[in-house]
Amino acid sequence: MSVVEFRIDRGAGVPAYLQLVRQVREALRLGWLKPGDRLPTVREVVRASGVNANTVLKAYRELELSGLVEARQGSGTFVKASLGSADPHIMAELRERLAGWVKQAHAAGLEDEDVRALLRIVLAEREK
Amino acid sequence: MTLRVQGLGKRYGDSWALRDCSFELERGRVTALVGANGAGKTTLLTMLAGVLRPDEGTVEARGRISFVAQDKPLYGHLDAGGMFQIARRLNDVWHQQRAESWARRFDVPLDRRCRRLSTGQQTQVALAVALGSRPDVLLLDEPLASLDPVVRRDVMRELLTEAADTGMALLMSTHVVAEISGVADSLVLLRGGKLVLSGDLDELMSSHSRYVGPPARTPPAGEVVHASHHEQQSAFLVRGGDRPGEPWVTEPVTVEDLVLAHLTGGGAA
């Protein structure tokens, strides 16, 4: 059974294959996917998500080029490396605190879009 | 290449329904054909299917072509089983099991006369017949228009699986632009009988941008596809050009933006 379930936001300004790449990277960062895990086969993704086979292939190739997964002849595509070096406990704790913060923001009348905008601004300021 | 169209044109009386149309369909790839009503989509599909003779240009195809027309011609007095028998006789290649499993997958009774089937079920019989002939190129004219959203999604998934399994090229006209992303690899866009845009969808998305900034007559960069002006700001959907700096804001282009901009024009297109 595969761990990731892909979904395409058809109204997004991001090509579908890049959305799949992002979802795998996200799953790696969050620890839902670990080295050795098998990604669903192209056919499985097509059937389950209604995404074009070439889109899935392109996404897998991109992930392979960046060294995150490897295709093993005849047996599928496997996760090779993990992303993000954070300790899972710390990840869990940060996530919980973020959830609390989001709750606070919502209570203060902020909408999801405001929350995203705030996060973007804070991240952009740190880059400077 | 599975199918190559070069300089294709069709004239009805003095006016051209389609002109200068050139593109290719590749094996295993899914192409969305979009355009307003009367843009020439059906004319193009019927010429590719060999039903209508072009007045100029050529269609070069490798392999078998199947076409499901918008009105889904079925013999009303026959049931699906009977339709399959006729198809078996009319086609050089016929895959009974493939046709039957499609009909079963979408709950079409094989022993009910076609005219007594629902519109959606008739669509399924037409698709089953088309797939049973094991096409290398499948042409669909508004295939999903008569289906409810859930069945629509399921049919699309099954068609994509068929394309992946068999390497068949799929060209389908559609009005539902919002459903194209992730489903189609390529786009063919007709406007007023002319092909105005075609190519790989990802490449098209990355070669277009939307710039929003202060009122201006011309965009800061690129070739205008669509422009809209308001009192406080101008917005341009452009092709090519380097990303402009302040005060212009660059926004990503969705498939819907891209298609609608080219369908409505307003720029040089």
Side-chain angles (χ1 to χ4, degrees):
Chain A
M1 196 49 225
S2 64
V3 193
V4 277
E5 193 188 341
F6 295 113
R7 64 207 174 273
I8 298 290
D9 174 2
R10 304 199 193 275
V14 178
Y17 85 97
L18 278 182
Q19 293 188 37
L20 299 185
V21 168
R22 271 186 199 175
Q23 285 163 32
V24 171
R25 295 181 66 96
E26 230 174 73
L28 286 167
R29 273 192 195 287
L30 297 172
W32 296 341
L33 276 177
K34 293 182 202 66
D37 283 349
R38 184 177 73 83
L39 291 183
T41 65
V42 173
R43 195 170 191 279
E44 281 165 0
V45 180
V46 173
R47 279 200 93 97
S49 316
V51 183
N52 184 315
N54 301 308
T55 301
V56 186
L57 279 170
K58 201 164 166 184
Y60 281 12
R61 248 191 328 261
E62 178 92 10
L63 288 163
E64 212 179 332
L65 279 176
S66 55
L68 292 175
V69 305
E70 63 180 342
R72 291 184 205 149
Q73 198 74 44
S75 54
T77 303
F78 292 83
V79 176
K80 207 165 101 183
S82 57
L83 264 180
S85 47
D87 182 301
H89 296 292
I90 294 177
M91 279 293 280
E93 194 193 314
L94 282 169
R95 186 180 170 159
E96 201 171 308
R97 278 163 60 187
L98 183 62
W101 182 87
V102 168
K103 201 170 161 190
Q104 224 177 334
H106 282 161
L110 269 68
E111 291 181 13
D112 284 355
E113 201 161 318
D114 303 317
V115 168
R116 282 190 205 107
L118 266 180
L119 184 64
R120 260 201 304 277
I121 291 168
V122 171
L123 288 173
E125 278 171 352
R126 279 192 54 86
E127 272 177 25
K128 280 179 186 164
Chain B
M1 173 292 285
T2 305
L3 186 136
R4 180 184 289 139
V5 179
Q6 263 172 326
L8 204 65
K10 180 72 195 173
R11 197 173 48 200
Y12 294 117
D14 284 341
S15 74
W16 288 89
L18 188 75
R19 208 158 188 198
D20 291 329
C21 188
S22 303
F23 63 90
E24 287 184 12
L25 299 181
E26 306 280 346
R27 196 183 133 75
R29 283 178 69 91
V30 179
T31 306
L33 172 61
V34 293
N37 288 329
K41 301 189 298 284
T42 300
T43 301
L44 172 62
L45 288 171
T46 31
M47 282 195 286
L48 298 186
V51 176
L52 189 68
R53 224 175 53 193
D55 288 312
E56 57 180 32
T58 54
V59 179
E60 194 189 326
R62 221 168 273 167
R64 290 180 298 278
I65 300 181
S66 261
F67 175 44
V68 178
Q70 218 165 7
D71 49 9
K72 293 166 200 108
L74 298 171
Y75 294 105
H77 62 285
L78 292 180
D79 56 20
M83 281 301 301
F84 295 166
Q85 270 176 30
I86 290 196
R88 184 212 304 260
R89 249 178 281 155
L90 294 177
N91 287 287
D92 298 334
V93 174
W94 179 250
H95 212 267
Q96 180 75 14
Q97 198 204 332
R98 206 170 175 211
E100 277 180 13
S101 71
W102 185 279
R104 232 176 272 124
R105 161 81 177 80
F106 291 103
D107 300 322
V108 179
L110 290 177
D111 55 356
R112 189 177 302 166
R113 288 173 184 227
C114 286
R115 77 160 67 93
R116 296 193 46 221
L117 294 174
S118 70
T119 328
Q121 288 173 325
Q122 289 174 358
T123 300
Q124 303 298 2
V125 174
L127 287 170
V129 168
L131 289 166
S133 69
R134 283 208 160 271
D136 298 289
V137 180
L138 179 59
L139 308 170
L140 302 175
D141 199 359
E142 292 283 342
L144 311 180
S146 62
L147 306 174
D148 71 58
V150 176
V151 178
R152 232 181 139 79
R153 187 198 62 195
D154 291 348
V155 166
M156 216 45 248
R157 287 178 184 182
E158 292 292 330
L159 285 173
L160 291 172
T161 308
E162 291 277 342
D165 286 352
T166 64
M168 116 188 136
L170 183 60
L171 174 65
M172 45 181 273
S173 68
T174 178
H175 273 306
V176 191
V177 177
E179 288 178 8
I180 292 177
S181 178
V183 166
D185 302 297
S186 313
L187 194 68
V188 169
L189 192 145
L190 300 178
R191 186 169 135 204
K194 285 214 174 80
L195 186 145
V196 289
L197 188 71
S198 74
D200 181 270
L201 198 54
D202 293 340
E203 281 168 24
L204 289 174
M205 275 177 89
S206 59
S207 64
H208 287 74
S209 319
R210 210 172 103 89
Y211 302 142
V212 182
R217 282 178 168 279
T218 53
E223 171 200 338
V224 183
V225 176
H226 187 267
S228 61
H229 303 286
H230 303 280
E231 216 170 293
Q232 303 293 334
Q233 67 170 39
S234 288
F236 296 97
L237 196 141
V238 304
R239 189 172 193 168
D242 293 326
R243 190 189 176 116
E246 301 262 339
W248 292 91
V249 175
T250 306
E251 292 175 353
V253 171
T254 68
V255 176
E256 199 164 359
D257 294 337
L258 181 76
V259 168
L260 292 180
H262 279 277
L263 286 183
T264 50

